[in-house]
Amino acid sequence: MKKMFFTIAATVSLLCATDSSLFTGSWLVKNEGLTLTFSGKDSVKFSSASDETINGSGKFSYNDSLLTAKLDNEGTLLEVVYRYKKVGETVTVTTKSLKVNGDPMEISKDTMTMVRPVAKKAVKKAEPKKTETTKTTTKKAKK
């Protein structure tokens, strides 16, 4: 009974420790030009601003420290596991494993930072300045 209670308590604390709002909406991976958009319970889309061949979608799952994604990038299947940590308003991410079409790949141990995109402010179109004009009249000189 104690073991079952401990398991339930650990599961509940694990779920409470995970901030579910982390994996909703859009995130930018700084210095990578990559945008991730999480929608629904487990769907993700990704694209690159600098490389149009990086564009796809897939499914994801997460726990308190790992994010796992199975992605399709134009027929190339990727399975990625990331270690993540929320740091203030950002999320730091390190790749733990990567498979491309089922084959394990070498990974970089570099830490990436994800940030929320800054909403573009509506640019107000400048109105032309109104300039005052004065009428000048010229009188014909009398002869």
Side-chain angles (χ1 to χ4, degrees):
M1 185 69 157
K2 280 185 178 181
K3 188 174 182 180
M4 186 187 329
F5 177 73
F6 179 77
T7 303
I8 292 170
T11 303
V12 169
S13 66
L14 178 70
L15 292 173
C16 292
T18 304
D19 184 354
S20 63
S21 68
L22 285 180
F23 302 111
T24 59
S26 292
W27 287 91
L28 297 175
V29 181
K30 287 177 75 173
N31 303 324
E32 298 293 324
L34 188 65
T35 301
L36 303 170
T37 303
F38 297 94
S39 61
K41 283 178 31 178
D42 64 352
S43 296
V44 63
K45 290 183 181 182
F46 61 94
S47 62
S48 171
S50 61
D51 186 348
E52 63 187 35
T53 64
I54 299 175
N55 184 15
S57 62
K59 300 290 183 184
F60 73 95
S61 61
Y62 63 94
N63 63 25
D64 65 330
S65 63
L66 296 177
L67 170 67
T68 303
K70 291 184 179 185
L71 310 166
D72 183 346
N73 183 54
E74 298 181 357
T76 301
L77 302 178
L78 307 166
E79 294 178 46
V80 191
V81 178
Y82 298 104
R83 180 170 304 284
Y84 75 89
K85 181 178 179 184
K86 184 177 179 187
V87 180
E89 296 298 312
T90 66
V91 176
T92 59
V93 180
T94 307
T95 306
K96 190 167 160 82
S97 69
L98 169 65
K99 288 183 182 179
V100 177
N101 292 327
D103 296 325
M105 304 299 287
E106 281 190 40
I107 57 171
S108 168
K109 296 291 183 180
D110 293 342
T111 298
M112 298 171 281
T113 303
M114 297 187 341
V115 297
R116 292 285 187 186
V118 176
K120 292 182 181 179
K121 294 181 181 178
V123 178
K124 191 173 185 179
K125 203 172 191 179
E127 292 182 29
K129 290 184 179 179
K130 293 181 182 177
T131 56
E132 290 184 31
T133 57
T134 56
K135 286 187 178 181
T136 56
T137 56
T138 53
K139 293 183 182 179
K140 289 187 180 180
K142 290 186 183 180
K143 292 187 186 181

